[in-house]
Short mmCIF file of all heavy atoms in Angstrom, two decimals:
data_model
loop_
_atom_site.label_atom_id
_atom_site.label_comp_id
_atom_site.label_asym_id
_atom_site.label_seq_id
_atom_site.Cartn_x
_atom_site.Cartn_y
_atom_site.Cartn_z
N PRO A 44 -0.98 0.96 1.70
CA PRO A 44 -1.11 2.14 0.77
C PRO A 44 -0.31 3.36 1.34
O PRO A 44 0.22 4.11 0.57
CB PRO A 44 -2.58 2.28 0.68
CG PRO A 44 -3.18 0.97 1.07
CD PRO A 44 -2.24 0.37 1.99
N ALA A 45 -0.47 3.58 2.63
CA ALA A 45 0.19 4.66 3.32
C ALA A 45 1.77 4.65 3.07
O ALA A 45 2.36 5.60 2.79
CB ALA A 45 -0.19 4.82 4.63
N ARG A 46 2.29 3.48 3.35
CA ARG A 46 3.83 3.22 3.14
C ARG A 46 4.13 3.48 1.56
O ARG A 46 5.25 4.02 1.35
CB ARG A 46 4.18 1.91 3.68
CG ARG A 46 4.03 1.65 5.04
CD ARG A 46 4.57 0.39 5.56
NE ARG A 46 4.38 0.25 6.99
CZ ARG A 46 4.00 -0.87 7.66
NH1 ARG A 46 3.91 -2.02 6.92
NH2 ARG A 46 3.79 -0.99 8.92
N ALA A 47 3.32 2.93 0.80
CA ALA A 47 3.56 3.24 -0.66
C ALA A 47 3.54 4.63 -1.08
O ALA A 47 4.41 5.20 -1.80
CB ALA A 47 2.53 2.38 -1.48
N ARG A 48 2.57 5.34 -0.45
CA ARG A 48 2.48 6.80 -0.82
C ARG A 48 3.72 7.50 -0.32
O ARG A 48 4.34 8.44 -0.91
CB ARG A 48 1.33 7.44 -0.16
CG ARG A 48 0.02 7.25 -0.87
CD ARG A 48 -1.15 8.16 -0.40
NE ARG A 48 -1.51 7.84 1.03
CZ ARG A 48 -2.29 6.93 1.31
NH1 ARG A 48 -2.89 6.21 0.37
NH2 ARG A 48 -2.61 6.65 2.63
N LYS A 49 4.29 7.27 0.88
CA LYS A 49 5.45 7.76 1.32
C LYS A 49 6.71 7.51 0.43
O LYS A 49 7.51 8.30 0.06
CB LYS A 49 5.82 7.24 2.79
CG LYS A 49 5.05 7.86 3.83
CD LYS A 49 5.46 7.24 5.24
CE LYS A 49 4.63 7.82 6.30
NZ LYS A 49 4.90 7.32 7.60
N GLY A 50 6.76 6.21 0.00
CA GLY A 50 7.78 5.79 -0.99
C GLY A 50 7.73 6.48 -2.32
O GLY A 50 8.60 6.95 -2.93
N ILE A 51 6.50 6.66 -2.81
CA ILE A 51 6.19 7.47 -4.15
C ILE A 51 6.69 8.92 -3.95
O ILE A 51 7.40 9.48 -4.91
CB ILE A 51 4.75 7.35 -4.55
CG1 ILE A 51 4.46 5.95 -4.97
CG2 ILE A 51 4.52 8.41 -5.60
CD1 ILE A 51 3.04 5.64 -5.18
N LYS A 52 6.44 9.48 -2.84
CA LYS A 52 6.87 10.77 -2.64
C LYS A 52 8.36 10.99 -2.65
O LYS A 52 8.98 11.90 -3.25
CB LYS A 52 6.35 11.38 -1.26
CG LYS A 52 4.84 11.80 -1.41
CD LYS A 52 4.33 12.35 -0.11
CE LYS A 52 2.89 12.69 -0.23
NZ LYS A 52 2.29 13.19 1.04
N GLU A 53 9.02 10.04 -1.87
CA GLU A 53 10.50 9.99 -1.77
C GLU A 53 11.02 9.77 -3.28
O GLU A 53 12.03 10.43 -3.57
CB GLU A 53 10.97 8.94 -0.81
CG GLU A 53 12.56 8.90 -0.73
CD GLU A 53 13.12 9.97 -0.16
OE1 GLU A 53 12.41 10.90 0.54
OE2 GLU A 53 14.34 10.25 -0.28
N ALA A 54 10.51 8.83 -4.09
CA ALA A 54 11.06 8.51 -5.29
C ALA A 54 10.83 9.77 -6.27
O ALA A 54 11.62 10.05 -7.11
CB ALA A 54 10.26 7.41 -5.90
N GLN A 55 9.73 10.47 -6.14
CA GLN A 55 9.40 11.60 -6.87
C GLN A 55 10.48 12.66 -6.50
O GLN A 55 10.92 13.48 -7.48
CB GLN A 55 7.99 12.18 -6.70
CG GLN A 55 7.60 13.21 -7.64
CD GLN A 55 6.08 13.45 -7.53
OE1 GLN A 55 5.52 13.23 -6.45
NE2 GLN A 55 5.45 14.03 -8.47
N ARG A 56 10.92 12.82 -5.34
CA ARG A 56 11.82 13.76 -4.87
C ARG A 56 13.22 13.44 -5.50
O ARG A 56 13.92 14.30 -6.06
CB ARG A 56 11.97 13.93 -3.41
CG ARG A 56 12.92 14.90 -2.92
CD ARG A 56 13.09 14.84 -1.41
NE ARG A 56 13.72 13.56 -0.87
CZ ARG A 56 15.01 13.30 -0.95
NH1 ARG A 56 15.93 14.25 -1.47
NH2 ARG A 56 15.60 12.22 -0.51
N LEU A 57 13.54 12.11 -5.51
CA LEU A 57 14.82 11.72 -6.15
C LEU A 57 14.80 11.63 -7.66
O LEU A 57 15.85 11.76 -8.28
CB LEU A 57 15.09 10.32 -5.67
CG LEU A 57 15.50 10.16 -4.12
CD1 LEU A 57 15.55 8.64 -3.78
CD2 LEU A 57 16.81 10.73 -3.79
N LEU A 58 13.57 11.66 -8.11
CA LEU A 58 13.54 11.71 -9.66
C LEU A 58 14.04 13.11 -10.16
O LEU A 58 14.63 13.14 -11.22
CB LEU A 58 12.06 11.59 -10.11
CG LEU A 58 11.77 11.52 -11.58
CD1 LEU A 58 12.51 10.26 -12.20
CD2 LEU A 58 10.31 11.37 -11.82
N GLY A 59 13.73 14.14 -9.45
CA GLY A 59 14.15 15.49 -9.86
C GLY A 59 15.62 15.63 -9.77
O GLY A 59 16.25 16.44 -10.39
N GLN A 60 16.27 14.92 -9.03
CA GLN A 60 17.77 14.93 -8.75
C GLN A 60 18.48 13.96 -9.71
O GLN A 60 17.79 13.17 -10.30
CB GLN A 60 18.14 14.51 -7.33
CG GLN A 60 17.53 15.48 -6.22
CD GLN A 60 17.72 14.91 -4.91
OE1 GLN A 60 18.43 13.88 -4.68
NE2 GLN A 60 17.29 15.62 -3.87
N GLU A 61 19.59 14.00 -9.90
CA GLU A 61 20.44 13.24 -10.87
C GLU A 61 21.04 11.97 -10.16
O GLU A 61 22.19 11.59 -10.51
CB GLU A 61 21.52 14.04 -11.50
CG GLU A 61 20.93 15.18 -12.48
CD GLU A 61 20.13 14.58 -13.56
OE1 GLU A 61 20.48 13.48 -14.19
OE2 GLU A 61 19.06 15.07 -13.93
N LYS A 62 20.29 11.51 -9.16
CA LYS A 62 20.87 10.39 -8.44
C LYS A 62 20.09 9.16 -8.84
O LYS A 62 19.15 8.68 -8.30
CB LYS A 62 20.70 10.52 -6.94
CG LYS A 62 21.39 11.66 -6.40
CD LYS A 62 21.13 11.81 -4.88
CE LYS A 62 21.92 13.12 -4.40
NZ LYS A 62 21.57 13.22 -2.94
N SER A 63 20.60 8.54 -9.95
CA SER A 63 19.93 7.28 -10.50
C SER A 63 19.88 6.19 -9.51
O SER A 63 18.89 5.44 -9.42
CB SER A 63 20.57 6.90 -11.80
OG SER A 63 19.93 5.86 -12.41
N GLY A 64 20.95 5.86 -8.92
CA GLY A 64 21.18 4.74 -7.90
C GLY A 64 20.13 4.87 -6.84
O GLY A 64 19.52 3.95 -6.43
N ALA A 65 20.14 6.11 -6.30
CA ALA A 65 19.34 6.26 -5.10
C ALA A 65 17.89 6.28 -5.54
O ALA A 65 16.95 5.70 -4.78
CB ALA A 65 19.59 7.69 -4.46
N PHE A 66 17.49 6.68 -6.76
CA PHE A 66 16.11 6.71 -7.20
C PHE A 66 15.73 5.28 -7.29
O PHE A 66 14.57 4.72 -6.82
CB PHE A 66 15.96 7.33 -8.52
CG PHE A 66 14.67 7.14 -9.19
CD1 PHE A 66 13.48 7.77 -8.78
CD2 PHE A 66 14.61 6.32 -10.28
CE1 PHE A 66 12.32 7.51 -9.43
CE2 PHE A 66 13.41 6.06 -10.98
CZ PHE A 66 12.28 6.64 -10.46
N PHE A 67 16.52 4.39 -7.92
CA PHE A 67 16.15 2.99 -8.11
C PHE A 67 16.11 2.15 -6.79
O PHE A 67 15.27 1.20 -6.67
CB PHE A 67 17.03 2.26 -9.23
CG PHE A 67 16.64 2.69 -10.56
CD1 PHE A 67 17.36 3.63 -11.29
CD2 PHE A 67 15.58 2.10 -11.20
CE1 PHE A 67 16.96 3.84 -12.69
CE2 PHE A 67 15.09 2.48 -12.49
CZ PHE A 67 15.91 3.40 -13.19
N ASP A 68 17.04 2.50 -5.90
CA ASP A 68 16.93 1.88 -4.61
C ASP A 68 15.48 2.20 -3.91
O ASP A 68 14.90 1.31 -3.34
CB ASP A 68 17.97 2.41 -3.63
CG ASP A 68 19.41 1.71 -3.94
OD1 ASP A 68 19.33 0.66 -4.55
OD2 ASP A 68 20.33 2.21 -3.62
N CYS A 69 15.13 3.48 -4.00
CA CYS A 69 13.84 3.92 -3.38
C CYS A 69 12.69 3.16 -4.16
O CYS A 69 11.73 2.64 -3.42
CB CYS A 69 13.65 5.40 -3.64
SG CYS A 69 12.24 6.03 -2.89
N VAL A 70 12.62 3.11 -5.43
CA VAL A 70 11.63 2.41 -6.20
C VAL A 70 11.51 0.92 -5.82
O VAL A 70 10.46 0.41 -5.53
CB VAL A 70 11.88 2.64 -7.74
CG1 VAL A 70 10.93 1.62 -8.52
CG2 VAL A 70 11.60 4.01 -8.18
N HIS A 71 12.75 0.25 -5.81
CA HIS A 71 12.74 -1.08 -5.42
C HIS A 71 12.12 -1.34 -3.93
O HIS A 71 11.30 -2.19 -3.64
CB HIS A 71 14.09 -1.71 -5.57
CG HIS A 71 14.18 -3.09 -5.35
ND1 HIS A 71 14.46 -3.67 -4.03
CD2 HIS A 71 14.03 -4.24 -6.20
CE1 HIS A 71 14.40 -5.05 -4.25
NE2 HIS A 71 14.15 -5.34 -5.57
N LYS A 72 12.61 -0.53 -3.08
CA LYS A 72 12.22 -0.60 -1.66
C LYS A 72 10.72 -0.35 -1.61
O LYS A 72 10.10 -1.13 -0.77
CB LYS A 72 13.02 0.38 -0.78
CG LYS A 72 12.62 0.27 0.64
CD LYS A 72 13.44 1.35 1.41
CE LYS A 72 12.99 1.49 2.83
NZ LYS A 72 13.64 2.51 3.61
N THR A 73 10.25 0.66 -2.21
CA THR A 73 8.64 1.00 -2.15
C THR A 73 8.02 -0.16 -2.84
O THR A 73 7.03 -0.58 -2.08
CB THR A 73 8.56 2.31 -2.96
OG1 THR A 73 9.27 3.32 -2.28
CG2 THR A 73 7.02 2.64 -2.89
N LEU A 74 8.30 -0.60 -3.99
CA LEU A 74 7.46 -1.56 -4.60
C LEU A 74 7.57 -2.96 -3.92
O LEU A 74 6.52 -3.59 -3.76
CB LEU A 74 7.96 -1.67 -6.08
CG LEU A 74 6.97 -2.40 -6.90
CD1 LEU A 74 5.53 -1.66 -6.88
CD2 LEU A 74 7.44 -2.33 -8.38
N SER A 75 8.79 -3.46 -3.50
CA SER A 75 8.90 -4.63 -2.81
C SER A 75 8.24 -4.63 -1.44
O SER A 75 7.60 -5.57 -0.98
CB SER A 75 10.40 -5.16 -2.62
OG SER A 75 10.99 -4.18 -1.85
N GLY A 76 8.37 -3.49 -0.67
CA GLY A 76 7.66 -3.34 0.51
C GLY A 76 6.06 -3.32 0.41
O GLY A 76 5.42 -4.07 1.22
N TYR A 77 5.61 -2.66 -0.62
CA TYR A 77 4.29 -2.67 -0.80
C TYR A 77 3.67 -4.02 -1.18
O TYR A 77 2.65 -4.55 -0.69
CB TYR A 77 3.80 -1.67 -1.98
CG TYR A 77 2.40 -1.73 -2.50
CD1 TYR A 77 1.35 -1.05 -1.71
CD2 TYR A 77 2.06 -2.45 -3.60
CE1 TYR A 77 0.14 -1.19 -2.08
CE2 TYR A 77 0.71 -2.49 -4.01
CZ TYR A 77 -0.28 -1.86 -3.26
OH TYR A 77 -1.58 -1.91 -3.59
N LEU A 78 4.38 -4.72 -2.05
CA LEU A 78 4.00 -6.06 -2.53
C LEU A 78 4.05 -7.08 -1.29
O LEU A 78 3.18 -7.97 -1.20
CB LEU A 78 4.78 -6.59 -3.69
CG LEU A 78 4.48 -5.82 -4.97
CD1 LEU A 78 5.47 -6.16 -6.03
CD2 LEU A 78 3.08 -6.07 -5.53
N ALA A 79 5.12 -6.98 -0.47
CA ALA A 79 5.23 -7.75 0.61
C ALA A 79 4.12 -7.64 1.62
O ALA A 79 3.50 -8.62 2.07
CB ALA A 79 6.56 -7.51 1.39
N ASP A 80 3.70 -6.36 1.86
CA ASP A 80 2.62 -6.10 2.69
C ASP A 80 1.28 -6.56 2.20
O ASP A 80 0.36 -7.14 2.83
CB ASP A 80 2.52 -4.63 3.17
CG ASP A 80 3.65 -4.20 4.08
OD1 ASP A 80 4.25 -5.06 4.62
OD2 ASP A 80 4.01 -2.94 4.15
N LYS A 81 1.15 -6.25 0.96
CA LYS A 81 -0.31 -6.51 0.23
C LYS A 81 -0.46 -8.04 0.10
O LYS A 81 -1.58 -8.49 0.18
CB LYS A 81 -0.35 -5.76 -1.12
CG LYS A 81 -1.48 -5.56 -1.66
CD LYS A 81 -2.19 -4.52 -0.83
CE LYS A 81 -3.54 -4.14 -1.45
NZ LYS A 81 -4.45 -3.50 -0.72
N LEU A 82 0.60 -8.73 -0.33
CA LEU A 82 0.49 -10.14 -0.60
C LEU A 82 0.91 -11.16 0.63
O LEU A 82 0.98 -12.24 0.46
CB LEU A 82 1.25 -10.56 -1.77
CG LEU A 82 1.04 -9.78 -3.16
CD1 LEU A 82 2.04 -10.03 -4.23
CD2 LEU A 82 -0.44 -9.95 -3.43
N HIS A 83 1.20 -10.54 1.80
CA HIS A 83 1.64 -10.98 2.93
C HIS A 83 2.78 -12.14 2.67
O HIS A 83 2.84 -13.28 2.97
CB HIS A 83 0.42 -11.80 3.59
CG HIS A 83 0.75 -12.29 5.06
ND1 HIS A 83 0.99 -11.35 5.94
CD2 HIS A 83 0.78 -13.47 5.56
CE1 HIS A 83 1.24 -11.88 7.11
NE2 HIS A 83 1.08 -13.32 6.88
N LEU A 84 3.85 -11.42 2.20
CA LEU A 84 5.13 -12.18 1.89
C LEU A 84 6.15 -11.65 2.89
O LEU A 84 6.09 -10.39 3.33
CB LEU A 84 5.63 -11.89 0.49
CG LEU A 84 4.80 -12.51 -0.63
CD1 LEU A 84 5.33 -12.02 -1.99
CD2 LEU A 84 4.73 -13.97 -0.60
N PRO A 85 7.21 -12.36 3.25
CA PRO A 85 8.36 -11.79 4.02
C PRO A 85 8.99 -10.80 3.22
O PRO A 85 9.20 -10.82 1.99
CB PRO A 85 9.22 -13.05 4.40
CG PRO A 85 8.78 -14.12 3.36
CD PRO A 85 7.39 -13.78 3.03
N ALA A 86 9.62 -9.73 3.79
CA ALA A 86 10.19 -8.67 3.08
C ALA A 86 11.28 -9.09 2.14
O ALA A 86 11.42 -8.57 1.10
CB ALA A 86 10.70 -7.55 4.05
N GLY A 87 12.12 -10.06 2.70
CA GLY A 87 13.28 -10.51 1.85
C GLY A 87 12.77 -11.62 0.82
O GLY A 87 13.49 -11.93 -0.03
N GLY A 88 11.49 -11.99 0.98
CA GLY A 88 11.04 -13.04 -0.08
C GLY A 88 10.33 -12.51 -1.22
O GLY A 88 9.69 -13.25 -1.99
N VAL A 89 10.51 -11.17 -1.42
CA VAL A 89 9.70 -10.67 -2.71
C VAL A 89 10.61 -10.85 -3.82
O VAL A 89 11.67 -10.08 -3.92
CB VAL A 89 9.42 -9.22 -2.35
CG1 VAL A 89 8.71 -8.51 -3.69
CG2 VAL A 89 8.42 -9.09 -1.25
N SER A 90 10.30 -11.61 -4.74
CA SER A 90 10.97 -11.72 -5.99
C SER A 90 10.01 -11.63 -7.15
O SER A 90 8.85 -11.93 -6.91
CB SER A 90 11.81 -13.11 -6.04
OG SER A 90 10.83 -14.15 -6.18
N ILE A 91 10.49 -11.39 -8.34
CA ILE A 91 9.46 -11.13 -9.36
C ILE A 91 8.69 -12.45 -9.66
O ILE A 91 7.59 -12.52 -9.92
CB ILE A 91 10.16 -10.66 -10.61
CG1 ILE A 91 9.18 -10.15 -11.66
CG2 ILE A 91 11.19 -11.48 -11.27
CD1 ILE A 91 8.18 -9.16 -11.31
N ASP A 92 9.41 -13.57 -9.48
CA ASP A 92 8.83 -14.93 -9.78
C ASP A 92 7.69 -15.17 -8.81
O ASP A 92 6.61 -15.68 -9.20
CB ASP A 92 9.82 -15.99 -9.84
CG ASP A 92 10.93 -15.88 -10.87
OD1 ASP A 92 10.54 -15.34 -11.88
OD2 ASP A 92 12.09 -16.22 -10.69
#
Side-chain angles (χ1 to χ4, degrees):
R46 290 181 185 148
R48 278 192 298 275
K49 284 182 185 177
I51 288 171
K52 284 181 184 177
E53 178 67 17
Q55 191 169 20
R56 184 184 67 77
L57 291 170
L58 183 62
Q60 301 173 358
E61 292 300 320
K62 298 178 180 178
S63 182
F66 169 75
F67 281 104
D68 281 339
C69 181
V70 167
H71 187 268
K72 180 180 172 187
T73 300
L74 198 56
S75 63
Y77 173 77
L78 291 170
D80 288 343
K81 203 67 171 166
L82 303 175
H83 196 61
L84 296 170
V89 176
S90 68
I91 190 60
D92 296 329

